[in-house]
């Protein structure tokens, strides 16, 4: 999480220290002027600035959440560019103003003291408010880049707390910091981070359709960079540099760094001979002893009178009601007003939430209570009023395309269904368990925006891929039968060295048929079953198949001991070859296996969990990868129509994993998993994890859904 937290930590520390120094100078100036009674006005202005900044962040968050996906990307891109402009201006402003900051603020406070309480509140509000708005905007953009990570908020919180501690130490003269050097060093780092935010923002604008060139890649290292490694994660999180970047991103990144960094460094060098540390806030003088002999009313200073609004030195009495006004009224108001305004902005600025609709689901009546929603991201409350569990889909009735779904909505329960709605026609489709699908009356939504439905897939759509894959498996089983007979003959003849080589060849063939495992029924347990859970472990009489032979061949068992298991393996493989054509192969298994084969590979092969002595788990993983590629080949026509970007990405991922596996293969030797270096293991696990992440959408894209 630290990679996402660091940019926010730095901005929180720097902006927090700037704001803290400003507040410290304001407070110290009033103390020196013997106007302690005016301190609540300073804190009121500070509190107002914080409230406005937090309200601004809330408006950004909720406004973006109510937009369609493409609009969210464009909105985030625009704000990222604005944030870069603000941060750049802040860096240069602090470089120029650090030495004169104290004197300028003292002059403003002195003027505000003569003009009444309102001006002092306004002075502190404006002095701190700019830092707060910059912080809110920059944190929002970094949080958008980090997705669901809690890193940005955590980093910002740590930075702000540390800044508060530093300011207290400076104020009390406990710490001595060369603030000029601090702001110069952090300025350099922030410029580098801002360059990454600029590139990220431009990419969002390209994805949102505002800028062209989203497929014109200048850098594409996805096939050679391990996205899961610690250094890759750190670079992406801190600098927003991705393995794949467009020409616009690269040019903007380089140009920003070249121009801004040059100007900043020149400015620092130009002022270096005269540079002094930014002045620390004036320390608080020791409090004057109170005069107990005078009544409280007689010791009121002119500054205190001014705090009541009567003006500096004014003797005009205030009405009794004004003097009795509670001290908490103004602070409460400055917090409440921005919050209320932000709430009204969010409530009035976003579409009416469809979540106000409770849509009924039952075996006979689907979509009761459904009215046309507004465009945008909507939440529907789906309530099952029937007596059976039901699947629920929000569909385009003219094409059956699916915008959102809930599986297994139990009777009497209510669940939220979130979907993005744009202009078009919508209806609800309810599919009770074991019942007939029911479709609601259609409604028409007018307006802009963009929504990406999933095109429906039927069993008929999967018929051709299933036929092609069954032919592939049938051919593989024929090959496997011949290979296991060769293995049997090796063992019967006592040629155990040849048997070890032929064992690996046959086992790789079987591993490449991964999508059919669920169809093989009991044969899979006999052919490739593990010893886990058997009372006798590897010596149990029910332990059979490839792993039983692997254990014997690599643990010094004799040919005589292994002849029986070898014959049994050949018999089971031959039996599977005969049974397979008539076995029930669920077409819905094909999309599921696209993810599950390599999920099992990561769990078992890449951990060495299934190694019985041969050290060839990586060879098995390579065969699983080949089987996945074959499965994706037969699914390609369906995937290309529905998600054209998925397969190119997955192909790149597969090539990367295959290259990493090939690096561990030398002739007939494969590196055992336990002998992989930490770096190689991390690269392999990271690349496989990325591949699994990119394969994850396929089951949903190709899920068989019932139509009316």
């Amino acid at each position: 999480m630290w990679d996402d937290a660091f940019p926010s930590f730095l901005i929180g520390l720097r902006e927090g220290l700037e704001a803290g120094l400003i507040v410290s100078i304001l407070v110290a100036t009033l103390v020196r002027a013997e106007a302690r009674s005016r301190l609540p006005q300073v804190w009121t202005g500070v509190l107002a600035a914080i409230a406005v900044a937090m309200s601004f962040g809330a408006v950004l968050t909720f406004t973006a959440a109510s937009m369609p996906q493409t609009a969210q990307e464009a909105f985030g891109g625009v704000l990222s560019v604005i944030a870069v402009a603000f941060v750049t201006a802040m860096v240069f402003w602090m470089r120029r103003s650090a030495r004169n900051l104290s004197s300028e603020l003292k002059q403003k406070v002195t003027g505000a003291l003569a003009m009444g309480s309102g001006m002092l509140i306004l002075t502190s509000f404006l002095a701190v408010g700019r830092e707060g708005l910059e912080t809110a905007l920059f944190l929002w953009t970094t949080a958008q880049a980090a997705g669901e990570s809690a890193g940005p908020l955590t980093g910002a919180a740590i930075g702000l707390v540390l800044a508060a501690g530093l300011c207290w130490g400076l104020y009390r003269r406990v710490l001595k910091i060369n603030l000029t050097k601090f702001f110069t060093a952090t300025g350099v780092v922030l410029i580098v981070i801002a360059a990454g935010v600029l590139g990220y923002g431009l990419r969002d604008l390209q994805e949102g359709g505002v800028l062209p060139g989203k497929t014109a890649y200048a850098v594409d290292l996805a096939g050679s960079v391990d996205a899961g490694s610690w250094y890759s994660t750190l670079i992406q999180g801190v600098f927003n540099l991705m393995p794949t970047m467009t020409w616009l991103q690269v040019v903007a990144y380089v140009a920003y760094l070249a121009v801004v960094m040059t100007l900043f460094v020149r400015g620092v060098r130009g002022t270096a001979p005269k540079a002094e540390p930014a002045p620390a806030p004036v320390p608080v003088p020791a409090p004057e002893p109170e005069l107990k002999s005078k009544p409280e009313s007689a010791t009121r200073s002119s500054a205190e009178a001014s705090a009541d609004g009567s003006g500096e030195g004014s003797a005009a009495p205030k009405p009794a009601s004004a003097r009795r006004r509670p001290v908490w009224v103004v602070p409460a108001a400055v917090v409440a007003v921005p919050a209320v305004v932000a709430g009204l902005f969010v409530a009035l600025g976003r579409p009416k939430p469809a979540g106000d609709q409770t849509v009924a689901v039952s075996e006979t009546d689907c979509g009761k209570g459904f009215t046309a929603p507004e465009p945008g991201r909507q939440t529907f409350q789906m309530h099952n009023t029937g007596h059976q569990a039901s699947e629920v889909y929000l569909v385009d009735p003219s094409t059956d395309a699916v915008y959102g779904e809930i599986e297994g909505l139990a009777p009497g329960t209510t669940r939220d269904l979130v979907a993005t709605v744009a202009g078009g026609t919508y209806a609800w489709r309810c599919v009770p368990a074991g019942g007939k699908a029911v479709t609601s009356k259609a409604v028409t939504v007018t307006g802009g925006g963009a929504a990406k439905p999933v095109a429906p897939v039927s069993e008929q759509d999967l018929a051709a891929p299933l036929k092609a894959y069954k032919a592939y498996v049938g051919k593989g089983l024929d090959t496997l039968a011949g290979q296991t007979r060769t293995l049997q003959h090796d063992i019967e003849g006592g040629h155990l060295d040849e048997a070890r080589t032929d064992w690996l060849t046959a086992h790789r063939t079987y591993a490449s048929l991964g999508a059919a495992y669920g169809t093989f029924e009991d044969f899979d347990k006999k052919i490739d079953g593990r010893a886990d859970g058997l009372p006798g472990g590897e010596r149990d009489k029910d332990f059979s198949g490839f792993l039983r032979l692997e254990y014997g061949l690599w643990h010094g068992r004799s040919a005589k001991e292994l002849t029986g298991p070898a014959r049994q393996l050949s018999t089971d493989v031959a039996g599977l070859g005969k049974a397979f054509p008539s076995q029930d192969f669920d077409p819905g298994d094909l999309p599921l296996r696209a993810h599950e084969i390599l999920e099992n590979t990561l769990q078992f092969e890449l951990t060495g969990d299934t190694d019985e002595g041969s050290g060839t788990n990586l060879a098995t993983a390579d065969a699983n990868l080949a089987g996945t590629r074959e499965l994706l080949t037969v699914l390609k026509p369906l995937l290309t129509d529905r998600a054209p970007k998925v397969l190119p990405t997955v192909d790149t991922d597969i090539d990367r994993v295959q290259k990493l596996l090939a690096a561990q293969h030398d002739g007939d030797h494969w590196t055992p998993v336990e002998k992989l270096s930490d770096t190689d293991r991390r690269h392999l696990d990271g690349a496989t994890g990325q591949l699994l992440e990119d394969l994850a959408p396929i089951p949903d894209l190709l899920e068989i859904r019932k139509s009316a």
Side-chain angles (χ1 to χ4, degrees):
M1 186 175 66
W2 177 243
D3 51 297
D4 290 329
F6 178 73
S8 298
F9 165 77
L10 185 63
I11 198 72
L13 175 62
R14 183 183 170 105
E15 294 277 11
L17 191 55
E18 285 185 29
L21 289 173
I22 291 171
V23 173
S24 299
I25 293 171
L26 294 175
V27 170
T29 302
L30 289 178
V31 171
R32 278 289 181 88
E34 297 184 354
R36 288 176 179 270
S37 60
R38 307 292 293 274
L39 289 178
Q41 296 163 21
V42 171
W43 293 117
T44 298
V46 172
L47 198 61
I50 295 173
V52 169
M54 295 182 69
S55 300
F56 179 57
V59 168
L60 291 179
T61 300
F62 289 106
T63 300
S66 66
M67 295 179 176
Q69 185 63 35
T70 53
Q72 288 184 37
E73 291 169 345
F75 182 69
V78 169
L79 290 181
S80 294
V81 174
I82 294 174
V84 170
F86 277 5
V87 169
T88 306
M90 174 266 292
V91 167
F92 281 92
W93 176 82
M94 199 60 190
R95 190 202 68 198
R96 292 192 309 268
S97 305
R99 292 188 303 277
N100 302 320
L101 182 63
S102 180
S103 59
E104 290 179 3
L105 285 173
K106 288 177 182 178
Q107 291 176 4
K108 291 181 179 179
V109 170
T110 302
L113 279 171
M115 299 178 67
S117 60
M119 283 305 299
L120 192 55
I121 293 174
L122 182 61
T123 299
S124 59
F125 170 78
L126 293 177
V128 179
R130 185 180 64 86
E131 315 296 335
L133 291 176
E134 286 177 354
T135 303
L137 181 56
F138 194 85
L139 289 181
W140 188 87
T141 56
T142 53
Q144 289 292 106
E148 298 180 357
S149 171
L153 294 181
T154 303
I158 295 173
L160 290 171
V161 170
L162 181 58
L166 291 174
C167 287
W168 181 88
L170 291 171
Y171 186 82
R172 306 298 299 181
R173 286 191 172 178
V174 176
L175 295 175
K176 291 184 178 180
I177 298 176
N178 188 319
L179 295 175
T180 299
K181 290 184 178 179
F182 172 83
F183 286 119
T184 299
T186 55
V188 169
V189 179
L190 276 179
I191 288 172
V192 176
I193 292 175
V197 174
L198 177 62
Y200 174 83
L202 293 177
R203 181 59 181 170
D204 271 354
L205 291 173
Q206 289 179 313
E207 292 290 342
V210 177
L211 295 176
K214 69 177 181 179
T215 59
Y217 296 113
V219 178
D220 189 359
L221 303 177
S224 56
V225 173
D226 179 13
S229 63
W230 67 268
Y231 57 84
S232 180
T233 305
L234 182 66
I235 292 173
Q236 292 181 50
V238 175
F239 303 111
N240 275 306
L241 291 176
M242 304 300 172
T244 303
M245 297 181 69
T246 64
W247 278 106
L248 178 61
Q249 288 179 280
V250 172
V251 170
Y253 184 90
V254 173
Y256 177 88
L257 269 186
V259 174
V260 176
M261 190 68 78
T262 300
L263 293 175
F264 183 78
V265 172
R266 283 182 179 176
V268 171
R269 289 177 177 174
T271 58
K274 301 178 182 179
E276 298 176 359
V282 181
V284 180
E288 296 290 335
E290 294 182 7
L291 300 176
K292 299 296 183 181
S293 58
K294 294 184 180 181
E296 182 180 355
S297 59
T299 62
R300 287 172 54 84
S301 67
S302 59
E304 287 175 294
S306 179
D308 289 332
S310 57
E312 187 75 28
S314 172
K318 297 291 291 183
S321 59
R323 289 197 298 269
R324 295 194 189 102
R325 182 178 62 192
V327 295
W328 54 265
V329 170
V330 175
V334 299
V335 173
V337 170
V340 170
V341 171
L344 290 174
F345 186 91
V346 171
L348 299 177
R350 66 191 303 184
K352 180 182 178 181
D356 290 345
Q357 302 180 28
T358 298
V359 182
V361 175
S362 72
E363 301 90 313
T364 57
D365 191 3
C366 181
K368 185 177 180 180
F370 178 48
T371 58
E374 297 291 332
R377 191 170 177 82
Q378 305 290 357
T379 301
F380 302 90
Q381 295 177 345
M382 311 306 299
H383 179 60
N384 191 341
T385 59
H387 302 288
Q388 293 180 316
S390 180
E391 295 181 1
V392 184
Y393 306 106
L394 179 63
V395 302
D396 180 343
S398 62
T399 64
D400 289 333
V402 178
Y403 290 89
E405 64 182 297
I406 293 178
E407 296 183 354
L409 182 62
T413 61
T414 301
R415 283 163 60 186
D416 287 347
L417 186 152
V418 180
T420 299
V421 177
T425 306
Y426 296 84
W428 291 104
R429 179 161 296 149
C430 306
V431 186
K436 186 178 179 181
V438 181
T439 304
S440 73
K441 181 180 178 181
V443 301
T444 300
V445 175
T446 58
K452 298 179 180 179
V454 176
V457 174
S458 65
E459 290 191 15
Q460 185 62 35
D461 293 325
L462 284 168
L466 180 60
K467 182 179 179 181
Y469 193 77
K470 289 182 72 173
Y472 162 76
V473 173
K475 184 177 180 180
L477 289 175
D478 289 340
T479 302
L480 180 64
Q483 292 170 342
T484 53
R485 285 195 299 269
T486 300
L487 175 60
Q488 176 188 339
H489 295 155
D490 290 338
I491 293 175
E492 288 174 341
H495 309 300
L496 297 187
D497 286 339
E498 289 86 347
R500 293 184 185 95
T501 300
D502 292 335
W503 175 89
L504 180 58
T505 300
H507 192 238
R508 280 169 56 84
T509 298
Y510 186 76
S512 68
L513 309 178
Y517 288 170
T519 305
F520 291 165
E521 299 173 350
D522 292 338
F523 282 104
D524 182 54
K525 185 177 181 180
K526 296 176 182 178
I527 293 172
D528 206 35
R530 302 165 63 193
D532 295 6
L534 296 177
E538 284 82 359
R539 298 178 181 273
D540 196 283
K541 62 181 180 62
D542 291 328
F543 183 36
S544 63
F546 279 111
L547 300 188
R548 169 68 179 87
L549 287 176
E550 178 187 7
Y551 180 81
L553 286 169
W554 275 272
H555 283 83
R557 299 297 183 263
S558 67
K560 183 178 179 180
E561 291 178 276
L562 297 176
T563 297
R567 289 175 179 172
Q568 185 62 49
L569 176 61
S570 292
T571 300
D572 290 336
V573 169
L576 175 59
K578 292 179 181 179
F580 178 71
S582 60
Q583 287 178 329
D584 183 23
F585 198 139
D586 186 349
D589 283 349
L590 284 181
L592 291 174
R593 298 294 184 267
H595 184 270
E596 289 179 354
I597 296 172
L598 291 178
E599 196 173 54
N600 290 336
T601 301
L602 186 63
Q603 181 180 359
F604 299 118
E605 270 68 51
L606 297 186
T607 60
D609 190 55
T610 54
D611 183 16
E612 293 291 352
S614 68
T616 59
N617 273 152
L618 296 185
T620 305
D622 185 66
N624 288 338
L625 198 66
T628 301
R629 194 189 288 274
E630 182 65 30
L631 175 59
L632 293 173
T633 299
V634 302
L635 294 175
K636 183 176 181 178
L638 295 177
L639 287 172
T640 301
D641 290 342
R642 289 162 176 78
K645 295 182 180 180
V646 168
L647 278 182
T649 302
V650 168
D651 286 341
T652 301
D653 293 341
I654 291 178
D655 289 341
R656 184 192 311 164
V657 176
Q658 202 159 39
K659 186 182 297 183
L660 292 171
L661 290 171
Q664 306 303 325
H665 180 212
D666 183 13
D668 295 332
H669 175 73
W670 288 84
T671 304
V673 170
E674 67 272 12
K675 292 187 178 180
L676 288 172
S677 68
D678 290 341
T679 300
D680 289 339
R681 182 186 287 252
R682 194 163 53 241
H683 285 181
L684 189 54
D685 289 346
T688 306
Q690 183 63 51
L691 173 55
L692 282 170
E693 183 177 334
D694 292 332
L695 286 170
I698 292 178
D700 287 335
L701 289 170
L702 302 184
E703 180 183 357
I704 296 175
R705 296 175 171 90
K706 292 184 179 181
S707 59

